[in-house]
Amino acid sequence: MAYYLIRRLLMAIPVMGLIALIVFLLLRLTPGDPAQAIAGDQATPEQIAAIRDSLGLDAPLMSQFVTWTGNMLRGDFGYSLISQRPVLEMIGQRVGPTLALATVAMILTVVISIPLGILAARRHGQLLDRFVMSLSVIGFSVPIFVIGYVLIGIFAVNLKWFPVQGYKPLADGLWPFLHRIFLPGLALSSIYIALVSRMTRAAMLEVLREDYVRTARAKGLSERVVLFRHALRNAAIPILTVVGTGFAMMISGVVVTETVFNVPGLGRLVVDAVLARDYPLIQAIILLTAGTYVVINLLIDISYAMTDPRIRYQ
Amino acid sequence: MTITGLRALGMAAMAACWMQAVPALAETELNVVMQAPLRTLDPHLSTAQIVRTHGFMVFDTLLGMDADYKPQPQMADYAVSDDGLTYTFTLRDGLKWHDGSDVTAEDCVASLKRWAANDAAGKTMMDYVASIEATSDKVLVLTLAQPFGHVLELLAKPSPVPPFMMPKRLAETPSGEQVTDMIGSGPFKFVAEEYRPGDQAVYVKNDDYVPRSEPMSWTAGGKVVNVDKVVWKAMPDMQTSINALQSGDVDLIEQVAIDLLPLLQMNDEVEYGVLNPLGIQVTGRFNHRLPPFDNADVRRAAMYALDQEQLMQTAIGDPEYYTLCVSAYGCEVPLASDAGAEYLTGSADERMAKAKELLAGSGYDGTPVLMMQPTDLTILSTQPIVAAERLREAGFTVEVASMDWATLQSRKNGWQPVAEGGWNMLFTYWGVTGIWNPLVHALLDGSGSDTAWAGWPVSPEIEALRKEYLVSGDLEDQKRIASEIQSIAYDQGFYFNAGEAQTVAAWTKGIADLQPGPIMLFWGVTKPE
């Protein structure tokens, strides 16, 4: 297993290097100028040129790339061109809300969707199954921003149970944290609840038809043991895959939820950075997101072995 | 535990509860959704309105401008020599930087030099200046080499970029490099630890600030701060901002989307109004260097074809919040004029007939007009589509190129042929403070210089008049010159003035004494505890 882990981590290095190069070049090929974003619309070309010069944007591309990668390998992701703040500090300020939002959304997803999927499989073809499947269709079809506005309209504006917007870190207390994160978490989880409940249902249906399940029932085991110990454990691999990749997708794709609920997370930061052509910030966020995917994929693979002892990595 | 012990424990718990219930001195915190996120901090380097508003929170200016467009003493009193060539500024007592050190005349000299190096109008002024020197800790003297009629006006201007004063060590930052250490002498202090670029900026009352004794008027007079803390929040979604205002999460929205105003009109707990009486001017700019707009008759035909009413309807919608103002300088300013208005007024049908006639006789050969359309800026995303239709009706071939605002901004600075990434026409808008006289109005630059704002029109007549304007110190004379410049600029088709729009702010009931001004002002405002 240790050998496998080291091999996988080493394989990630060229992948990350390639991503760094592609992102760097793509950003330079995209029209737009960070100096213009700093100077504003009314600035003259002369003012913009002075800012470009001070930011080193006129240096040859190769020299810019070598400097950037060299600094990055030393752990220095540079400074934002726009705000002149350290990129890692800016990401550090914003990563907390996004991680918290993704975690809450994933907890809600797992807690709601897996039981729903199991129940739907158990009651296959019955009213409950149809109800769960209808819910999942709604979850897939209705955009997150619509679900967000509906939740805000009902629970924040009318019932006043939750605040309309904003974020409080866990350090401010569990209640303030949950009070503000619940609605955005629920909105974000909607699509994943739909996805995971469908996936769970399908995987469970497949497993429930297997001989070993029939044998378990024939042995007189209780339905609970059959479902959770025999069936769910064997159906877990596709579910884990969806949950794991879903978590990575949440981290990188929470822009809409963060915007609707005004959560100051990474999603809004990256949109801002793209609009302002803040190259070092965009590069760092994309690299970190790619790194997150690599790590999460690795964790998913490890979890396969933990849930299914037949799987061994050499 | 004994009964006595239990009683003691109970009393201790009650005391603890009581201590929690009695608040420390209540702090009034004003939560505001600003019109744009604050991403950069240096108010000398950026022309963006949000950075200017931030500048007026943290920094102060030697002079302020009042609601009558008159420069007034602010950090300094001033005296002008009889020949109009020497300006002596004396700093008032008690001025301190936010780090506790005294404001000196040397700091102000360095600040003026840095401002002038970054501001186009300041740079023009420096061509007329012989020297700026500190003659003591409190006195600085500006000496002109030749007459220049706008020194006081420029030192008081709230237009981009105001001459903010900063400590010498910051003012000596190399050209083009940003100052990020926010040490000013203004009425608020910037809280660096709570700043999240693009999301939140926090300011606290500067207790050391001594306001002037005169009444508040725009950026002049006594800047009396009545709240302890102002928090600027960036909310990219307008619906979220309105929900937050209605639920009390925020106290004020600087600019509400006009089409969402009906939502607020239904709420008795919310008030709204126009705080900036000057508003914005929407403009369609022609690229004079490329065909077909290198031909004056083609530009004139395009001006006739375009229709103010239609464009403002498209951009703003509610006629209560726009005016078909024809003045190049804005309609509420001293230099307002209707010279050359025939290019902008008349019925849409009459105008179209004139456009067709002019275009037919102009020699226009069907060269396509590439019009840039920013898709991510609501106020400017629709005009190009409407304008393109009108131009097509007049006989133009038009292509609308959709792009994001950052791409448009960068593309507008290039003057290569359209096939190589150039452009023919774009729409943008200007705060009236940025165009209210020929000195600051970038679209009236007739030098054709590579360093001028995009479009590069050439008009020696206008350049001569602009030079005349620089020297003139008499308002009536300035009005005459400004009017002539406007008339020629319209006749030459410098740009199409699409009209003026108001920005509407909204706030919760109880917020009072909001100050009208050329930008959002946070002194004077009160919030109930």
Side-chain angles (χ1 to χ4, degrees):
Chain A
M1 180 66 113
Y3 171 73
Y4 172 78
L5 279 179
I6 292 166
R7 194 162 53 94
R8 281 286 299 267
L9 288 172
L10 287 176
M11 276 166 62
I13 293 172
V15 172
M16 298 295 283
L18 194 64
I19 290 171
L21 179 66
I22 292 171
V23 169
F24 182 89
L25 291 176
L26 275 180
L27 284 175
R28 269 43 178 206
L29 288 173
T30 311
D33 187 351
Q36 176 84 59
I38 294 167
D41 183 35
Q42 298 181 39
T44 61
E46 207 175 355
Q47 290 164 273
I48 295 164
I51 297 172
R52 280 184 68 79
D53 186 47
S54 82
L55 294 176
L57 290 169
D58 293 327
L61 273 189
M62 182 55 84
S63 143
Q64 288 186 48
F65 182 70
V66 169
T67 310
W68 174 59
T69 44
N71 289 339
M72 208 171 51
L73 289 173
R74 287 193 294 273
D76 175 8
F77 280 74
Y79 284 77
S80 153
L81 295 179
I82 308 298
S83 69
Q84 294 291 299
R85 297 217 150 195
V87 160
L88 281 186
E89 181 192 305
M90 292 179 74
I91 292 173
Q93 282 180 334
R94 301 293 193 94
V95 76
T98 299
L99 270 181
L101 184 54
T103 306
V104 168
M106 194 39 79
I107 290 171
L108 287 171
T109 301
V110 170
V111 167
I112 296 171
S113 63
I114 292 183
L116 276 182
I118 294 171
L119 274 176
R122 182 82 181 81
R123 305 259 189 264
H124 178 53
Q126 297 176 18
L127 191 64
L128 183 70
D129 183 26
R130 287 182 199 151
F131 175 69
V132 171
M133 288 307 96
S134 307
L135 269 185
S136 76
V137 169
I138 293 171
F140 272 126
S141 327
V142 183
I144 286 182
F145 74 89
V146 174
I147 292 177
Y149 284 137
V150 170
L151 291 175
I152 289 172
I154 297 171
F155 297 106
V157 175
N158 287 318
L159 295 173
K160 298 191 188 302
W161 290 353
F162 295 96
V164 166
Q165 56 84 45
Y167 170 77
K168 291 272 185 207
L170 197 52
D172 286 7
L174 183 62
W175 174 243
F177 169 74
L178 288 177
H179 198 209
R180 290 199 179 252
I181 203 85
F182 182 72
L183 285 189
L186 191 59
L188 180 59
S189 65
S190 58
I191 189 165
Y192 296 99
I193 288 174
L195 181 69
V196 175
S197 57
R198 266 184 175 264
M199 182 60 75
T200 307
R201 174 181 174 274
M204 286 293 284
L205 277 177
E206 199 171 312
V207 170
L208 285 172
R209 292 190 196 108
E210 294 286 337
D211 290 342
Y212 61 83
V213 171
R214 198 173 305 123
T215 308
R217 281 187 177 134
K219 278 199 299 184
L221 293 177
S222 71
E223 191 60 22
R224 196 160 55 96
V225 174
V226 170
L227 275 180
F228 291 97
R229 193 171 298 169
H230 292 264
L232 183 59
R233 193 156 185 166
N234 284 291
I237 285 181
I239 300 170
L240 276 172
T241 311
V242 174
V243 169
T245 50
F247 187 68
M249 282 163 69
M250 278 181 186
I251 290 173
S252 57
V254 295
V255 180
V256 174
T257 313
E258 287 181 355
T259 302
V260 170
F261 290 91
N262 196 38
V263 176
L266 268 186
R268 274 180 52 198
L269 182 67
V270 75
V271 170
D272 247 24
V274 169
L275 290 176
R277 306 292 191 265
D278 196 344
Y279 303 143
L281 192 51
I282 303 169
Q283 287 161 188
I285 294 174
I286 291 179
L287 272 186
L288 288 175
T289 310
T292 310
Y293 270 95
V294 169
V295 170
I296 286 178
N297 271 314
L298 190 58
L299 290 176
I300 292 169
D301 285 352
I302 293 169
S303 69
Y304 289 166
M306 290 168 73
T307 49
D308 189 344
R310 289 169 301 176
I311 298 174
R312 287 286 175 270
Y313 298 108
Q314 298 302 322
Chain B
M1 188 177 279
T2 64
I3 296 291
T4 317
L6 279 172
R7 190 177 294 154
L9 192 65
M11 287 179 72
M14 279 175 68
C17 290
W18 183 81
M19 283 172 75
Q20 275 201 323
V22 176
L25 276 179
E27 190 182 65
T28 45
E29 179 178 308
L30 196 68
N31 291 290
V32 187
V33 180
M34 298 301 286
Q35 48 94 8
L38 183 70
R39 298 188 182 105
T40 64
L41 298 176
D42 189 339
H44 276 172
L45 217 58
S46 175
T47 61
Q49 184 183 320
I50 187 72
V51 184
R52 196 166 10 130
T53 312
H54 154 81
F56 275 107
M57 300 288 278
V58 178
F59 300 94
D60 214 344
T61 45
L62 290 178
L63 308 179
M65 185 162 285
D66 69 16
D68 294 323
Y69 306 90
K70 297 264 183 347
Q72 301 291 353
Q74 188 48 237
M75 287 173 78
D77 290 309
Y78 65 88
V80 187
S81 65
D82 291 341
D83 61 4
L85 293 178
T86 307
Y87 292 75
T88 306
F89 300 93
T90 307
L91 296 175
R92 64 190 166 102
D93 293 332
L95 292 176
K96 282 194 180 303
W97 299 118
H98 294 164
D99 61 8
S101 57
D102 290 332
V103 175
T104 67
E106 259 195 52
D107 293 321
C108 298
V109 169
S111 301
L112 282 178
K113 286 181 177 167
R114 182 170 197 265
W115 160 72
N118 286 304
D119 178 58
K123 204 170 276 182
T124 305
M125 183 184 88
M126 290 306 274
D127 293 341
Y128 292 75
V129 168
S131 65
I132 309 177
E133 284 169 355
T135 55
S136 74
D137 272 358
K138 289 202 149 196
V139 177
L140 62 144
V141 178
L142 184 151
T143 310
L144 294 174
Q146 49 184 313
F148 181 81
H150 307 275
V151 173
L152 298 177
E153 178 193 319
L154 283 186
L155 296 189
K157 72 169 180 154
S159 329
V161 172
F164 291 116
M165 295 298 116
M166 48 183 67
K168 189 179 174 193
R169 67 183 169 86
L170 300 180
E172 286 178 344
T173 305
S175 173
E177 203 172 293
Q178 286 192 63
V179 169
T180 51
D181 190 7
M182 291 294 103
I183 301 295
S185 64
F188 289 93
K189 289 182 178 178
F190 182 71
V191 186
E193 309 79 59
E194 295 189 45
Y195 173 49
R196 286 197 299 266
D199 176 54
Q200 173 183 278
V202 178
Y203 306 86
V204 292
K205 180 180 178 177
N206 174 13
D207 291 324
D208 292 332
Y209 187 78
V210 182
R212 295 190 69 89
S213 55
E214 298 91 342
M216 283 174 269
S217 179
W218 281 17
T219 59
K223 297 175 179 176
V224 179
V225 174
N226 295 319
V227 290
D228 298 304
K229 192 173 183 182
V230 178
V231 180
W232 288 6
K233 292 168 187 276
M235 288 196 198
D237 185 66
M238 182 52 74
Q239 183 64 54
T240 305
S241 308
I242 285 178
N243 286 336
L245 183 75
Q246 299 197 93
S247 69
D249 272 19
V250 297
D251 304 301
L252 174 73
I253 302 176
E254 188 189 1
Q255 278 183 24
V256 179
I258 301 291
D259 54 344
L260 292 181
L261 262 185
L263 288 176
L264 296 178
Q265 286 162 342
M266 292 187 291
N267 190 329
D268 293 339
E269 294 304 308
V270 174
E271 294 180 90
Y272 62 91
V274 174
L275 295 177
N276 178 352
L278 297 174
I280 57 168
Q281 185 182 97
V282 179
T283 58
R285 179 68 151 179
F286 307 111
N287 183 349
H288 293 235
R289 286 191 174 175
L290 294 182
F293 291 133
D294 56 349
N295 177 333
D297 276 340
V298 175
R299 294 194 298 270
R300 289 183 188 114
M303 286 182 68
Y304 276 128
L306 299 173
D307 184 60
Q308 279 194 325
E309 176 81 58
Q310 204 179 37
L311 289 167
M312 293 313 283
Q313 262 290 339
T314 308
I316 310 298
D318 187 341
E320 194 179 335
Y321 297 107
Y322 67 77
T323 50
L324 304 182
C325 173
V326 296
S327 169
Y329 310 103
C331 275
E332 301 299 323
V333 300
L335 299 185
S337 161
D338 59 2
E342 64 272 17
Y343 283 101
L344 304 169
T345 52
S347 78
D349 289 344
E350 284 168 14
R351 299 170 56 75
M352 185 53 76
K354 283 184 190 173
K356 285 179 176 169
E357 191 185 329
L358 248 175
L359 192 64
S362 68
Y364 174 64
D365 60 359
T367 303
V369 170
L370 185 119
M371 193 177 302
M372 296 197 285
Q373 183 214 11
T375 48
D376 55 338
L377 209 61
T378 316
I379 196 165
L380 293 175
S381 61
T382 46
Q383 285 100 334
I385 295 167
V386 174
E389 272 313 304
R390 287 284 294 181
L391 292 182
R392 285 186 190 116
E393 196 182 332
F396 284 93
T397 307
V398 187
E399 288 171 18
V400 177
S402 300
M403 59 194 77
D404 72 340
W405 181 238
T407 302
L408 186 152
Q409 293 266 62
S410 151
R411 189 166 173 175
K412 83 175 193 299
N413 293 327
W415 50 81
Q416 64 271 42
V418 170
E420 294 167 28
W423 59 278
N424 296 115
M425 191 172 179
L426 63 88
F427 278 86
T428 186
Y429 66 92
W430 305 74
V432 168
T433 51
I435 52 169
W436 62 9
N437 67 47
L439 177 54
V440 298
H441 200 315
L443 296 182
L444 295 180
D445 184 329
S447 67
S449 149
D450 289 355
T451 56
W453 204 85
W456 313 284
V458 180
S459 169
E461 284 169 284
I462 282 191
E463 284 308 281
L465 282 164
R466 272 164 37 103
K467 283 199 176 110
E468 204 181 317
Y469 178 83
L470 296 183
V471 178
S472 170
D474 173 66
L475 182 59
E476 286 311 309
D477 196 38
Q478 289 174 1
K479 280 183 180 173
R480 174 190 60 78
I481 300 167
S483 177
E484 282 178 40
I485 290 175
Q486 177 177 312
S487 179
I488 298 169
Y490 283 161
D491 184 54
Q492 292 291 312
F494 269 36
Y495 72 98
F496 181 76
N497 172 356
E500 243 174 69
Q502 302 293 328
T503 53
V504 179
W507 55 92
T508 51
K509 236 175 197 164
I511 303 294
D513 299 314
L514 286 157
Q515 300 297 305
I519 51 162
M520 187 79 214
L521 304 173
F522 288 96
W523 42 87
V525 187
T526 56
K527 178 184 175 181
E529 284 180 11

